[in-house]
Amino acid sequence: MSLFSVFDPTSYFGMTMNWIIMILIFVYFPVKYYLMSGGLFLMFKLIYDSISKVFTEVSMPRHIGLNFLSVMVFMYLVVSNLMGLFPFVFTSTAHPMITLGMGLVLWLSFFSMGWIMNFKNSSAHLVPEGSPIILAPLMVLIESISHFIRPFTLSIRLAANMMAGHLIVGLLSSISMIGMFGFLSSLFLQSTLMILEFGVAIIQGFVFSILLLLYATEYY
């Protein structure tokens, strides 16, 4: 057993349950398509409208589709992050395979469409305005590298932050075996950290989705 064993594949009754959290989110998320208007639907709509206003300030009205996609990514990540705080629930967003999959696919889609549909503006981004002509080849190389590392920094940031919180909670739990004082200290520290993890789960979902929206609007 190691500190990272919480992220190892586990099974119950012969069934791998790590990724079932992703299926549950997809099942219960689009409630407006099969539930009548009620308290749950109104709460979901209120949350969606509030978040959409924040993203609209970045995307502007002409990027309605990108705004909708970013809001859905944000809500999916927040739900997944928060469910990962429950005991015996595997945090899928702490796994680089999930975050890299989302980051690479979405970024590559925006990047490809930007270069295909708007080649002139996309290529203009490789040389910042006001740069000396003699430094243009070097600026193109630097900007190209910065563009290609975007999906990795975007994804690793989310996975590292979600993984770090769980590892710290695991370290603090070992203090409880020292004695009564250690148990009370561990209980207090873990309770405080769980409150912070609640905020981190929301903030990291927002950072991922807002950066994704900024990258998309830059390429379009």
Side-chain angles (χ1 to χ4, degrees):
M1 296 293 290
S2 66
L3 193 59
F4 293 90
S5 61
V6 67
F7 304 106
D8 293 339
T10 57
S11 61
Y12 302 94
F13 305 107
M15 297 175 59
T16 302
M17 308 295 287
N18 279 354
W19 312 113
I20 198 171
I21 177 63
M22 301 179 66
I23 301 174
L24 291 177
I25 294 175
F26 281 116
V27 169
Y28 291 106
F29 202 72
V31 292
K32 65 178 181 179
Y33 294 111
Y34 52 81
L35 287 182
M36 298 178 62
S37 297
L40 181 61
F41 173 77
L42 294 177
M43 183 183 68
F44 178 83
K45 188 175 185 302
L46 179 62
I47 296 174
Y48 173 83
D49 293 338
S50 301
I51 299 171
S52 182
K53 290 179 182 179
V54 178
F55 284 87
T56 302
E57 297 178 1
V58 178
S59 62
M60 302 300 289
R62 62 191 183 93
H63 295 298
I64 299 176
L66 294 177
N67 181 69
F68 176 77
L69 177 62
S70 299
V71 173
M72 290 295 103
V73 170
F74 168 76
M75 298 188 73
Y76 171 79
L77 289 177
V78 169
V79 172
S80 182
N81 292 343
L82 292 178
M83 293 190 72
L85 298 178
F86 288 93
F88 306 107
V89 177
F90 180 75
T91 310
S92 59
T93 49
H95 204 296
M97 184 175 69
I98 298 299
T99 56
L100 278 174
M102 293 181 61
L104 280 173
V105 169
L106 293 172
W107 175 86
L108 186 60
S109 302
F110 300 144
F111 182 81
S112 302
M113 288 299 298
W115 278 89
I116 294 173
M117 304 298 295
N118 202 347
F119 179 82
K120 182 178 179 180
N121 288 342
S122 297
S123 57
H125 285 301
L126 297 179
V127 181
E129 186 177 357
S131 300
I133 299 299
I134 192 172
L135 295 178
L138 180 61
M139 296 303 298
V140 170
L141 178 61
I142 295 175
E143 288 295 320
S144 299
I145 295 175
S146 68
H147 280 271
F148 282 112
I149 66 174
R150 281 179 175 180
F152 299 98
T153 57
L154 186 69
S155 305
I156 297 301
R157 181 191 298 110
L158 174 61
N161 279 279
M162 297 309 301
M163 184 184 295
H166 289 72
L167 293 179
I168 295 175
V169 171
L171 286 172
L172 292 175
S173 63
S174 61
I175 305 176
S176 60
M177 295 181 292
I178 298 177
M180 181 57 67
F181 178 75
F183 173 78
L184 295 176
S185 300
S186 176
L187 181 63
F188 173 75
L189 292 175
Q190 289 188 73
S191 301
T192 304
L193 188 60
M194 288 301 293
I195 298 174
L196 296 177
E197 280 295 297
F198 181 85
V200 169
I202 299 176
I203 292 173
Q204 289 304 315
F206 178 78
V207 170
F208 186 96
S209 54
I210 199 69
L211 286 178
L212 196 66
L213 180 60
L214 288 172
Y215 296 157
T217 54
E218 181 179 344
Y219 294 134
Y220 278 84

